Amino acid sequence: MNYKFSDRVPQSDTDPVGVILKVAGDPKVMSFAGGLPAPELFPVEQIKAAANKVLTEKGPAALQYGSSQGIPELRQVILGRLAIEGIKTDIDHVIVTTGSQQSIDLTGKMFLNEGDTVIVEDPTYLTAVDVFKSYGAHFVGVAMDEDGMRIDALEEALKNNPNTRLIYTIPTFQNPTGRTMTLARRTKLVELAEKYDVLILEDNPYGAIRWEGKNLPSLKSFDKNDHVIYMGTLSKILSPGLRLGWVVADPNLIKKYTMMKQSADLHTDSLAQYIAAEYFAANNIDEHVAGITDLYHKREQIMINAIDKYFPKEVKHSNPEGGMFLWVSVPGVQDSQKLFDAALKRNVAIVPGDPFFGNETIPGTFRMNYSNTPEAKIEAGVKLLSEAIEEVMGK
Ligand SMILES: Cc1ncc(COP(=O)(O)O)c(C=O)c1O
């Protein structure tokens, strides 16, 4: 059959990121490539107890079709998470989604027509790029520095692109750089969104995993005129397999999300929602997140110490105060793929920088993940990676 795909389907059959993650999954490869949480910290016993209780006490409701906006019990729990981000709201402002990935997809579907501009950080979350591309987005990348998206460059982009529909940003412990936007830039960003009457899509999967510095308020907490759509998820603080995320926006917009979600999947998995709500009722999530934070901090420190010991001095890396990723820049290297190939030859995997950019890339970059590698293995992996970098740099 000669399939006649819609314009939304990528023309190429090659999935470069899929290929990278597949090789990274080979047991003989030490992978700094994926973005997976540490599985040894999943609270399996507590989830088992929660599932038992839900099935015993609310079995029929948990196994039945449910509300497209999500069960009130979980939306109530989400309000508690939002309060930490400085967002005071009520459950009418919240819809439960099948993970942040669906929140991004529904947002693209709702706001983008072919050729509309999406402003993204340079670099940004690669799967958001794929989603917005599928809705025909034209990307404008805004340069970052260690303090997050550069606001002067953003204003320039807004001036030059009057058909901008969305500014997509991950202000805290950004994927892929691990960088965090300063407080001053956060307030300015919301001001600019109001001035140019553009929506911000604020994605915050990592904000709770902070080991240094003080918690910064979300962009949504500064939003007076409904210019910020906020997204959160349980994937990094509890379990990605539950597939539970949320969108926070004005109730009229939540109604539209609810309609769009109906046509996507009717509603988020009821059983998963009840189990998560029960988990929160019976356990202290803050203690659990503190355990995750301690472990990732330990792993990040080992990785940074090893990088400082082995990588050539010209190589730069970010210094995250939380989250799961480091961003590395190797000066003088034009093709990031060469770094991946040289590392893989030594059975180490990283993600080369290119897919993290909407259009123009920054050469010689790659992302490293530390959350998913046991402490005892990190230094040896970084040492092998340093040999790969030296080879590509011609040292
Ligand atoms: C920035 C960012 N947004 C969204 C997601 C998707 O998360 P979820 O598991 O909630 O769909 C990820 C996953 O890694 C991410 O890094």
Side-chain angles (χ1 to χ4, degrees), residues 291-309:
I292 294 173
T293 306
D294 281 353
L295 183 69
Y296 292 4
H297 185 202
K298 205 182 290 165
R299 291 180 176 177
E300 182 250 15
Q301 294 245 284
I302 295 171
M303 185 172 273
I304 288 198
N305 287 340
I307 286 176
D308 291 343
K309 185 164 159 194

Side-chain angles (χ1 to χ4, degrees), residues 35 98-102 104 125 168 170 174-175 203-206 231-236 240 243-245 324-325 367:
T98 303
S100 289
Q101 196 58 42
Q102 184 179 52
I104 298 172
Y125 173 48
Y168 171 70
I170 310 150
Q174 199 235 19
N175 182 2
D203 190 1
N204 185 26
Y206 304 101
M231 298 163 33
T233 175
L234 290 186
S235 289
K236 304 302 177 344
R243 307 305 305 129
L244 293 171
M324 295 179 19
F325 303 108
R367 187 189 77 177

Side-chain angles (χ1 to χ4, degrees), residues 136-190:
H138 160 70
F139 289 98
V140 174
V142 170
M144 299 180 83
D145 58 24
E146 292 309 313
D147 292 339
M149 192 194 286
R150 272 183 35 207
I151 297 298
D152 55 335
L154 171 65
E155 180 144 30
E156 207 47 41
L158 285 166
K159 272 189 203 145
N160 294 337
N161 295 278
N163 69 335
T164 300
R165 289 287 175 277
L166 287 175
I167 303 167
Y168 171 70
T169 174
I170 310 150
T172 311
F173 316 138
Q174 199 235 19
N175 182 2
T177 63
R179 292 168 182 153
T180 294
M181 190 185 292
T182 58
L183 183 58
R185 286 192 187 181
R186 287 173 192 240
T187 51
K188 192 77 192 137
L189 172 51
V190 177

